[in-house]
Amino acid sequence: MSHPDLHILAQASQDLLAAVRRDAPLVQCLTNFVSMNYAANALLAAGASPAMVHAVEEAPEFARICGAVVINIGTLSAPWLDSMLLTAASAGQAGTPWVLDPVAHHATAFRRDAVQRLLDLRPAIVRGNASEIIALAGGQSAGKGVDSRDEVAQAEQSARDIAARRQTVVAVTGEVDFVTDGERSVRITGGSPLMPRVTATGCALTAVVGAYAAVSAKDPYAAAVAALSCFSIAGRRAGTLADGPGSFAWRFLDALAGLEHDCLTRESPLR
């Protein structure tokens, strides 16, 4: 991507940061038990409003009144899957953008089947690590459970293939993030080596991607880039001050809340 294009994308990210803080979009999260608290706190720090609504009796209805839906299969069960499928379908019918985090989808047959059924319901954005994205495209990944053993660069073509085939945006996160809609693509640098050492950082990122999708429903590519850029800058800032993963966790939330309105153009991590 050329320098002028990167500047335009950085400016769009800055505008979306302002929009999230102005509108405080309501983001419904059907996420895993491990990540609920941290993901909710990350949404609040970003300026959004979290709603951890997952019961099948109300989640599909709730999807019609929120700004975006986030579905994370980390602690998947049959009742949760039923709710996820109905909620994703309801979001689609209402025109509510929804984001899929296919956590460890390649680990078991139950997960593989679940993620394919969810993909058929057309998420606006898919966010995963390199191993998850490679496996999602049908490749052989080195992933072990929820951990990625592959480099993001190895997953870039897989991401492009999924984006083109599924008409979605794919965000691959790792040491250098990669976002594509099948035609456009960009890399995002920064962050901190401590990020993968804090449980639910990736899940929290997916939730914040939902907040940006809520204010950028017509351009989910820009939404994903903006959310990942905010995480990149906040992660870098928190990492320079943290003594380890424990202090990083709370410093990161502070850094996310403290992002200046112009940081995404002044300190753009886009490459």
Side-chain angles (χ1 to χ4, degrees), residues 3 26 43 101 215 248:
H3 179 72
L26 180 62
L43 280 168
D101 191 332
V215 298
F248 176 85

Side-chain angles (χ1 to χ4, degrees), residues 54-78:
H54 63 265
V56 70
E57 293 83 1
E58 64 172 348
E61 180 183 357
F62 197 87
R64 297 178 176 274
I65 63 171
C66 61
V69 172
V70 172
I71 293 179
N72 175 309
I73 68 167
T75 50
L76 192 64
S77 66

